[in-house]
Every structure is written in C-alpha cells, then in structure tokens.
C-alpha cells in the first residue's frame, strides 16, 4: 500500500524494500477474510453457507485487484474497488453476522493507509459498528462484538502507523536527495567562483607580460626573455591554482597577493602604491583580503587604463583605488561593478559578515572598499610606501 496524498520519488533500493514491506502487510490482511470464512461454518449451512463463501471469495478478489492497482500505479481503480468491497461486506452480514466485521477491518485499514485524513472517522465508525451492531440485532443471538471491534481498531491503527512511517521515510529520502543536490550545486558555484578569480588574475598577468615581452623583443632581448620566463611561471602557477580550486585546497595569502599585484602593476606600466607588510590584518581575514586584492588589481589592469593604483590595508578593511576611466566606458567598474568579480567578492565577504562598496571616484578613478567586523584584537594600520 502507499499514501496517495504524499507521492515522492525514492531510490530503487528504497522502492524495493518498501515493496517487500507492502507485500507482507498486504498478504497478512487476507487473514481477516479467512476468519470470516471459518466463522461461516458455525453460523450457516447449505446454500446460505455457499453464498457466504462466494461473497468472501469475491471480497478477496477485489482486495487482490486493489493491491495490483496500487502496484501498477493505477490509483483510479482504488475507490471503485473499495465501494464493491463495502457492498460485499454488507452482503456478508446476513451470513457471518458479527464475524463479517473482519471484512470491515480490511476496508477501514485501507482507508487509514490511503486517505489518512479520513482515518479517524473511518476507525471510529467501524469500531462502534463492530461493537454495537451484533448486540443490536436480536436475530444474531450474540452480544457486543468486542473481539471484532478490537481487531478492527488495532489493525487499522497499526496500518495507519505503518503509512506514517513509510511517508516519513520517503520524506527523509527526498530530503537527503535535496541536501545532496544543494551541496553539489554549492560546490559547482564555489569552483566557478574560484576559477573566475584565479584565472582572471593569472591570464591577465600572462597577457600583460606577453605584450611587454613583444615590445621589448627588438630593444632588450634579455629583458624580453625574462618576461617570457615569468609568463611560463605564471602559467604553471595558474595550473596549480586551478587544481587547488577543483580539489578545494587552494590557499591565498594576503602578502603573496600584494607581491603578485605589485609585479602585475609594474608589468602593466601602472605606478603601484602598495603596503610593504600585512601584519596588522588578523589571520582570520588575510585570505579574504588576499582575494580582494587579487580581484581589485586584476580589474585595474584589465579595465581601468590607469596610471596609478593604491592599496590601503587596516585591521578590518582593504581599499583599492585607481585613477583610470572609472565607471564610464571601459573603467574598472565594468569588471568589478557589473561582472562576476564583484559577485564572487560579495559572496566571500558576506560569509565573513562584511560589506563591499564599489563605485567611481570624482573626477576620475574607481574605488573598491571591503570592510569586515573588527575583533577585539584588531588594532593599528599598515604603513604604505610607493614602489
């Protein structure tokens, strides 16, 4: 049996186990028509007994058809078959008397499993009828049907509890699948963000140094060869960074990004006004600030057409300024303000509980400011020097 009101898509293994449980439960329910058939021998004889056995056999057939309809995913047959089973139960009353309520046990149990919102009413009506009807019909020569009422009550409650457990298990399976899907999606987003940040910086540096080497090739061959060697080093580092991002073990240090940024700005012909140290930034913020410096300087070189770039560090903030085209045309804002770079930064900074401010300066230039909550041990600032 299944719950028609709560359909899910469990795994094949879960479906197989659930199918076996349903089969065992469904087969066990045939015990109740068998009890009714046994009781017929003591209540009636002759043609009446034959008619009673025919009714019980027809009831069993309808029950099997109900199970097949559920197994084949044809729920539209369930209600008509239950109506027929109810009619057969009523037809069995003149022959089996109070023992006919064993058939009602099957009907009420199916209602408790398939339509749980009607379970309480069905169990109440069935139990009271099984208890009182044999006592209310004098011709049956019997008292209240206590045993039949108890059988109906506890069997229906057991089947209803089974349905609740099955529905809960299906919900847990669906929830685990959803958690796995969200984890996979989050990992894809992390890899996409890291690859954008890593490759954006590395490929920009390779492009700048390659152009510089071309310009120097006819003037200073030794210097050009040195720049191409640096390009090779950058490409190897980019490959290592990509592998680290994919495996989740990438490391970004603030001091390293400041040093790389200084070299990238020098190769691009931009005057670099960068900190000489990053000691005042707490260890918990250094990786985050390293990502900010990497993204900010990459966009200065890529978009700003600037002559000067400065980086200012404090214990709780990092600020990157340039004197380039600003938010108009090809300024740094194109890369930071509207692209994936700022999206990645906002995600990282939001995780740390910080804020991102990015916008053009007056009369020209661009400013990127990232601020994070300052801890009690965060004090001081970092001196700067032009290099």
């Amino acid at each position: 049996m299944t719950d028609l009101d709560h359909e899910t898509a469990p795994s094949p293994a879960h479906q197989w186990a659930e199918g076996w449980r349903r089969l065992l439960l469904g087969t066990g329910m045939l015990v109740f028509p068998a009890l009714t058939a046994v009781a017929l021998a003591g209540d009636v004889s002759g043609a009446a007994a034959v008619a009673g056995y025919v009714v019980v056999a027809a009831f069993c057939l309808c029950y099997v058809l109900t199970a097949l309809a559920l197994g084949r995913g044809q729920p539209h047959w369930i209600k008509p078959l239950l109506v027929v089973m109810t009619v057969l139960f009523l037809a069995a009353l003149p022959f089996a008397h109070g023992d006919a309520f064993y058939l009602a046990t099957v009907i009420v149990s199916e209602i408790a499993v398939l339509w749980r919102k009607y379970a309480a009413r069905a169990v109440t009506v069935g139990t009271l009828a099984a208890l009182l009807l044999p006592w209310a019909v004098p011709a049956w020569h019997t008292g209240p049907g206590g045993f039949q009422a108890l059988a109906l009550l506890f069997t229906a409650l057991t089947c209803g509890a089974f349905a609740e457990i099955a529905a809960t298990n299906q919900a847990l399976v669906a929830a685990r699948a959803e958690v796995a899907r969200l984890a996979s999606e989050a990992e894809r987003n992390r890899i996409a963000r890291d690859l954008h940040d890593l490759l954006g910086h590395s490929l920009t540096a390779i492009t700048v140094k390659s152009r510089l080497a071309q310009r120097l090739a006819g003037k200073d061959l030794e210097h050009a060869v040195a720049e191409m060697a640096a390009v090779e080093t950058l490409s190897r580092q980019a490959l290592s960074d990509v592998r680290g991002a994919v495996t989740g073990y990438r490391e970004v240090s603030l001091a390293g990004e400041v040093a790389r940024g200084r070299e990238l700005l020098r190769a691009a012909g931009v005057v670099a006004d960068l900190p000489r140290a990053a000691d005042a930034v707490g260890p918990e913020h250094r990786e985050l600030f390293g990502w900010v410096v990497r993204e900010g300087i990459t966009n200065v070189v890529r978009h700003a057409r600037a002559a000067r770039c400065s980086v200012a560090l404090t214990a709780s903030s990092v600020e990157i300024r340039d004197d380039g085209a600003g938010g108009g045309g090809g300024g740094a804002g194109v890369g930071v303000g509207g692209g994936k770079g700022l999206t990645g930064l906002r995600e990282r900074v939001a995780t740390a509980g910080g804020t991102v401010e990015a916008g053009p300066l007056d009369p020209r230039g661009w400013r990127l400011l990232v601020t994070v909550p300052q801890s009690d041990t965060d004090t001081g600032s970092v001196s700067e020097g032009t290099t």
Side-chain angles (χ1 to χ4, degrees):
M1 299 180 186
T2 186
D3 183 1
L4 300 180
D5 302 323
H6 296 83
E7 295 183 0
T8 58
S11 66
H14 181 79
Q15 288 179 324
W16 181 84
E18 189 69 21
W20 273 106
R21 287 194 292 268
R22 292 174 184 171
L23 178 62
L24 291 174
L25 180 62
T27 303
M29 295 298 291
L30 291 174
V31 170
F32 295 102
L35 291 175
T36 302
V38 171
L40 283 170
D43 294 331
V44 293
S45 60
V50 173
Y53 291 135
V54 170
V55 170
V56 173
F59 185 93
C60 292
L61 177 61
C62 289
Y63 176 74
V64 171
L65 292 176
T66 301
L68 291 175
L70 284 172
R72 295 178 179 179
Q74 299 173 331
H76 56 280
W77 288 105
I78 305 302
K79 289 182 179 179
L81 287 170
L82 279 177
V83 170
V84 175
M85 291 169 65
T86 303
V87 172
L88 291 172
F89 153 68
L90 296 175
L93 285 173
F95 306 107
H97 303 160
D99 293 317
F101 279 94
Y102 289 126
L103 303 181
T105 299
V106 177
I107 297 172
V108 174
S109 297
E110 287 204 357
I111 294 174
V113 170
L114 300 175
W115 298 283
R116 296 203 298 275
K117 61 182 179 180
Y118 302 117
R121 280 174 282 180
V123 171
T124 301
V125 172
T127 301
L128 292 176
L131 181 65
L132 301 177
L133 187 61
W135 170 77
V137 180
W140 290 1
H141 303 290
T142 181
F147 186 78
Q148 293 85 349
L150 288 175
L152 187 151
L153 174 63
F154 287 107
T155 302
L157 291 178
T158 300
C159 292
F162 171 85
E164 289 287 349
I165 293 173
T168 301
N169 288 340
Q170 290 181 346
L172 288 174
V173 170
R176 284 196 295 266
E178 179 66 10
V179 168
R181 185 190 68 80
L182 292 175
S184 177
E185 181 177 342
E187 181 65 7
R188 286 196 300 269
N189 290 338
R190 181 195 68 79
I191 292 175
R193 182 188 66 192
D194 288 357
L195 289 178
H196 171 271
D197 294 346
L198 291 167
L199 290 181
H201 178 274
S202 299
L203 294 179
T204 298
I206 290 173
T207 300
V208 170
K209 285 186 169 292
S210 298
R211 290 176 179 172
L212 179 59
Q214 289 178 356
R215 291 197 301 268
L216 293 173
K219 305 175 184 177
D220 188 345
L221 184 58
E222 183 178 353
H223 193 180
V225 170
E227 291 295 337
M228 290 308 299
V231 167
E232 180 184 5
T233 301
L234 283 171
S235 64
R236 293 181 184 276
Q237 181 62 43
L239 180 60
S240 175
D241 288 342
V242 169
R243 288 172 177 167
V246 172
T247 56
Y249 294 107
R250 79 284 187 202
E251 292 184 359
V252 172
S253 67
L254 177 57
E257 292 306 320
V258 170
R260 293 190 189 97
R262 181 180 291 109
E263 176 63 19
L264 177 59
L265 291 171
R266 183 198 64 79
V270 179
V271 176
D273 187 7
L274 273 59
R276 297 186 182 277
D279 298 336
V281 179
E284 69 275 15
H285 299 320
R286 287 177 187 171
E287 181 179 353
L288 173 63
F289 284 9
W291 285 108
V292 176
V293 170
R294 171 179 290 215
E295 180 64 25
I297 292 179
T298 298
N299 281 284
V300 169
V301 174
R302 182 185 295 170
H303 302 293
R305 299 193 300 275
R308 186 180 185 87
C309 174
S310 65
V311 175
L313 291 174
T314 70
S316 60
S317 68
V318 53
E319 183 183 50
I320 303 174
R321 291 173 174 253
D322 68 71
D323 61 354
V334 175
V336 179
K340 294 183 179 179
L342 183 57
T343 300
L345 283 181
R346 289 191 189 280
E347 292 174 357
R348 296 180 194 277
V349 175
T351 301
T355 59
V356 177
E357 298 178 26
L361 296 172
D362 188 21
R364 60 183 288 112
W366 188 267
R367 173 177 174 265
L368 171 65
L369 174 64
V370 170
T371 306
V372 295
Q374 187 171 0
S375 64
D376 295 337
T377 58
D378 289 341
T379 58
S381 62
V382 181
S383 60
E384 301 177 5
T386 303
T387 58

